[in-house]
Amino acid sequence: MKKPFYKKWWFILIVAIIVLGALGNMVGGNDTTKENDKKDKVETSAKAPENKDSSKDEKEEIVGINTPLEVGDAVFTLNGVSLADQVGPSVLPTKASGKYVVLDVTYKNNGNKAVTIDASFFKLKRGEKTYESDSAASMSANQGEDGNIQNSFFLQEVNPDMEIKGKVVFDLAPEVAEATDLQLQVQTGIFGTETGMIKLRHY
């Protein structure tokens, strides 16, 4: 009596080869999918720095003296620059540790709400270095001989459509104060969400 064909050794061998081949394709397909996923991740990470570099290319607008600079809802104008050893009333002046750079500035609020402006809204920049304003000296520079202070730029509230004019003072090393590459950085708000630059010198 003959054995059924499905019990013969050659039939079992063929079935085993077919099953092993199918399993091999499944495993190989998974590996290919994984390789494609890895490739996609590498390409995505390689493209990410391009977005960062493009944001760095954005530059602040730079204007000169007597040129209004619009920053957000504010307009800043640098009217003049002078150097001094002391500021304030002659009877009780405030003396510089180095050299005072005195900036005559105008601020206008073009927004819809009152803004509290402070001397900290103004910074001097020279290369990678940043110089903060001197609040005490700025108040003294805006003080008249009678002792009254106008527009001190010390937490002063400015209503919409109003503008104030006054002095902002920086106490710097003499060689820095006399440098020709100083620039004034102005900003909106305490955290400086928007900024602009003004050249201190005409040359």
Side-chain angles (χ1 to χ4, degrees):
M1 184 176 177
K2 293 183 179 181
K3 292 182 179 180
F5 73 91
Y6 57 82
K7 288 187 177 181
K8 293 183 178 181
W9 66 268
W10 54 267
F11 180 78
I12 295 172
L13 180 62
I14 291 173
V15 172
I17 290 173
I18 293 173
V19 171
L20 289 174
L23 290 173
N25 289 336
M26 290 175 65
V27 174
N30 290 338
D31 290 342
T32 303
T33 302
K34 289 179 181 178
E35 289 297 324
N36 290 336
D37 289 342
K38 288 181 181 178
K39 187 176 180 181
D40 291 340
K41 288 179 181 178
V42 170
E43 290 178 352
T44 302
S45 62
K47 291 178 181 178
E50 294 179 2
N51 294 332
K52 290 183 179 180
D53 291 339
S54 62
S55 64
K56 289 181 181 178
D57 291 337
E58 296 179 3
K59 294 182 180 180
E60 295 170 310
E61 182 183 357
I62 302 177
V63 302
I65 294 178
N66 294 320
T67 303
L69 173 63
E70 188 172 347
V71 181
D73 291 330
V75 178
F76 296 87
T77 306
L78 177 60
N79 307 306
V81 181
S82 62
L83 303 180
D85 295 318
Q86 62 183 38
V87 292
S90 57
V91 292
L92 193 62
T94 302
K95 297 183 179 180
S97 298
K99 194 82 171 179
Y100 281 142
V101 175
V102 184
L103 307 182
D104 187 326
V105 298
T106 299
Y107 168 86
K108 183 178 181 181
N109 180 8
N110 278 345
N112 297 323
K113 296 181 180 179
V115 174
T116 301
I117 188 170
D118 187 69
S120 62
F121 283 30
F122 303 86
K123 294 178 175 60
L124 288 183
K125 305 277 287 186
R126 188 186 185 205
E128 297 297 320
K129 296 182 179 180
T130 301
Y131 304 93
E132 300 289 340
S133 59
D134 187 322
S135 297
S138 295
M139 289 186 68
S140 184
N142 288 290
Q143 188 175 17
E145 290 295 329
D146 58 0
N148 291 325
I149 298 176
Q150 291 185 344
N151 301 334
S152 65
F153 287 106
F154 178 72
L155 299 177
Q156 185 168 352
E157 190 171 87
V158 183
N159 280 316
D161 303 319
M162 292 291 293
E163 71 175 28
I164 61 172
K165 181 180 178 182
K167 295 180 174 62
V168 180
V169 181
F170 295 81
D171 194 352
L172 307 176
E175 64 273 14
V176 176
E178 296 172 2
T180 59
D181 56 348
L182 281 172
Q183 293 183 327
L184 173 64
Q185 182 187 68
V186 294
Q187 68 185 48
T188 60
I190 296 174
F191 300 106
T193 53
E194 296 172 289
T195 60
M197 301 289 282
I198 303 176
K199 295 179 181 179
L200 260 65
R201 313 294 181 190
H202 289 292
Y203 45 85

